[in-house]
Amino acid sequence: MTDGFCSSETDQALGSTAPNGGPLRNTNFRSRGFTPAAASVGLAGLTPHDLRHTAASLAVAAGANVKAVQRMLGHTSASMTLDVYAGLFGDDLDAVANRLDEAAGARDKD
């Protein structure tokens, strides 16, 4: 699967490597690649962690529940996810209340 991308077993274990074949370190990646690339498209100051928050926000906006977001982000618990992203789930309470009202209204009609 990694043929042509990695030249040794060590490279395959790392998945992505630095130009010298060693481990791709976050500090090098950010200073040499990510930060200049972000600045070149007008997003100076953007961090990889900002992209993580964006991914979480988009997932919640698309209807993902807290357990799905937890797994996506690799959090150890849903409470950890809620501690960070609780504000994103705020609209859910209104939606739940509306669905409960609809369900109660439908039951009363029967």
Side-chain angles (χ1 to χ4, degrees):
M1 177 180 229
T2 57
D3 292 345
F5 294 102
C6 301
S7 60
S8 71
E9 273 188 41
T10 303
D11 290 349
Q12 290 178 12
L14 293 173
S16 296
T17 60
N20 68 0
L24 182 59
R25 304 211 186 278
N26 183 40
T27 53
N28 289 339
F29 166 73
R30 284 188 63 187
S31 64
R32 295 180 187 164
F34 187 87
T35 299
S40 75
V41 295
L43 297 172
L46 182 73
T47 68
H49 205 78
D50 293 335
L51 296 179
R52 180 179 172 86
H53 287 298
T54 300
S57 300
L58 292 173
V60 171
N65 66 44
V66 69
K67 289 298 287 183
V69 177
Q70 172 208 343
R71 288 190 304 270
M72 181 180 86
L73 298 176
H75 289 162
T76 56
S77 68
S79 63
M80 180 180 186
T81 304
L82 284 170
D83 285 345
V84 178
Y85 298 104
L88 298 178
F89 291 93
D91 294 340
D92 285 357
L93 295 176
D94 291 335
V96 168
N98 290 338
R99 286 194 298 269
L100 288 171
D101 286 343
E102 290 169 8
R107 189 191 72 222
D108 290 342
K109 290 180 184 176
D110 290 339

